[in-house]
Amino acid sequence: MSDWKKNMDHFFGDSFWNEFEGIIKPNIPQINLYQTDNELFCVVNIPGLTDLDKLNVYVDYATLELKGSIDIDNARGFVVQEEILQGVFERSISLPFPVRSDKIKATYKNGLVYIQLHRLISDTSRKNRINVHVLEDS
């Protein structure tokens, strides 16, 4: 099978398979992202996480980045069916708006990571009242 892929890579180019990456192998970890006016709430599916130090969560302006691995250590015998994606992951999620770096809450329970993010509202984006002056006729 690997020879077949090498031949296809040679024929189509090395980057050909990258176009199908999300179809052939879905993104891990799986996420749900919810938005309100001023908050984002992200739920990340990471089964089997026992050491929280092996999960890295980064937030930079309007990007959420997740790095770690999903390891389900229950391998006995040979695999008959395998649907839970495993392995090392690195995932970057574009957020719909910039978020505050000083107000992030992340928790883990029952295989799910919950990340709460708050909209960045800068001083320059606040609504300011503009005084209107009457122009005198000259």
Side-chain angles (χ1 to χ4, degrees), residues 83-98:
E83 294 181 356
I84 300 172
L85 298 175
Q86 299 183 67
V88 174
F89 63 82
E90 187 172 322
R91 182 140 187 223
S92 181
I93 298 105
S94 294
L95 303 173
F97 50 75

Side-chain angles (χ1 to χ4, degrees), residues 4-5 16-27 85:
W4 178 80
K5 185 181 180 307
F16 175 76
W17 297 108
N18 294 341
E19 300 295 322
F20 299 100
E21 186 69 26
I23 297 168
I24 296 170
K25 180 183 174 191
N27 288 325
L85 298 175

Side-chain angles (χ1 to χ4, degrees), residues 18-84:
N18 294 341
E19 300 295 322
F20 299 100
E21 186 69 26
I23 297 168
I24 296 170
K25 180 183 174 191
N27 288 325
I28 61 170
Q30 298 163 318
I31 67 154
N32 288 356
L33 186 61
Y34 305 95
Q35 176 181 341
T36 64
D37 287 342
N38 293 313
E39 286 185 336
L40 292 172
F41 191 68
C42 185
V43 181
V44 185
N45 184 25
I46 306 179
L49 183 63
T50 56
D51 184 0
L52 292 177
D53 289 332
K54 292 185 178 180
L55 172 64
N56 294 304
V57 179
Y58 303 100
V59 177
D60 183 25
Y61 194 65
T63 302
L64 173 65
E65 190 174 311
L66 306 164
K67 294 180 181 182
S69 68
I70 296 175
D71 298 313
I72 302 173
D73 190 23
N74 198 21
R76 289 183 219 134
F78 61 93
V79 175
V80 176
Q81 184 169 340
E82 187 174 48
E83 294 181 356
I84 300 172

Side-chain angles (χ1 to χ4, degrees), residues 7 15 29 31 51 54 59 68-69 71 101-102 106 114 117 120 124 135:
N7 288 334
S15 63
I31 67 154
D51 184 0
K54 292 185 178 180
V59 177
S69 68
D71 298 313
S101 62
D102 64 332
Y114 301 93
L117 305 159
L120 175 66
T124 58
L135 285 176

